[in-house]
Amino acid sequence: MNALLSQLFPLLYGACFLALLWQAFKVMGQGFKAIPRPGDQGAAGSGLASQPQVQPNSDRTGRLTIHPELLDADGQLTQEDLLTVRFSGDNEQPAVPGDPS
């Protein structure tokens, strides 16, 4: 019985590995098909012709995205002042305390 399992285990392991590898390639293929490329617009059989065209300056959903932390308890945009942080870059002049500019 032990000899049978020692011979069967590599075969089962290899079969599982190949099945998972096949599934991984199928999932990656779906991801690659989700991104439209210049040659894919209106191509027959691509399935992209029936979908609405997204404006270039909007996000991938075609909807305005608002972060939930910008909404108040009623779901409206908050009117409170927001804290912002600005990081200076390497190409800016350092501020001098007595500098009028």
Side-chain angles (χ1 to χ4, degrees), residues 34-45:
I35 300 172
R37 291 177 293 260
D40 292 342
Q41 298 295 332

Side-chain angles (χ1 to χ4, degrees), residues 84-95:
T84 59
V85 178
R86 181 175 175 269
F87 296 98
S88 62
D90 293 336
N91 57 355
E92 297 180 6
Q93 296 294 327

Side-chain angles (χ1 to χ4, degrees), residues 4-41:
L4 179 64
L5 286 178
S6 65
Q7 291 177 351
L8 191 58
F9 182 71
L11 293 175
L12 288 175
Y13 184 83
C16 289
F17 176 78
L18 290 176
L20 289 174
L21 187 65
W22 176 255
Q23 288 294 321
F25 279 113
K26 283 176 52 176
V27 169
M28 286 189 296
Q30 290 174 353
F32 291 135
K33 287 190 281 186
I35 300 172
R37 291 177 293 260
D40 292 342
Q41 298 295 332

Side-chain angles (χ1 to χ4, degrees), residues 13-75:
Y13 184 83
C16 289
F17 176 78
L18 290 176
L20 289 174
L21 187 65
W22 176 255
Q23 288 294 321
F25 279 113
K26 283 176 52 176
V27 169
M28 286 189 296
Q30 290 174 353
F32 291 135
K33 287 190 281 186
I35 300 172
R37 291 177 293 260
D40 292 342
Q41 298 295 332
S46 68
L48 294 174
S50 63
Q51 295 178 354
Q53 296 296 320
V54 176
Q55 299 297 327
N57 59 354
S58 65
D59 67 357
R60 63 184 172 83
T61 62
R63 299 180 183 156
L64 179 64
T65 303
I66 299 173
H67 289 270
E69 55 270 2
L70 295 176
L71 302 176
D72 60 8
D74 298 325

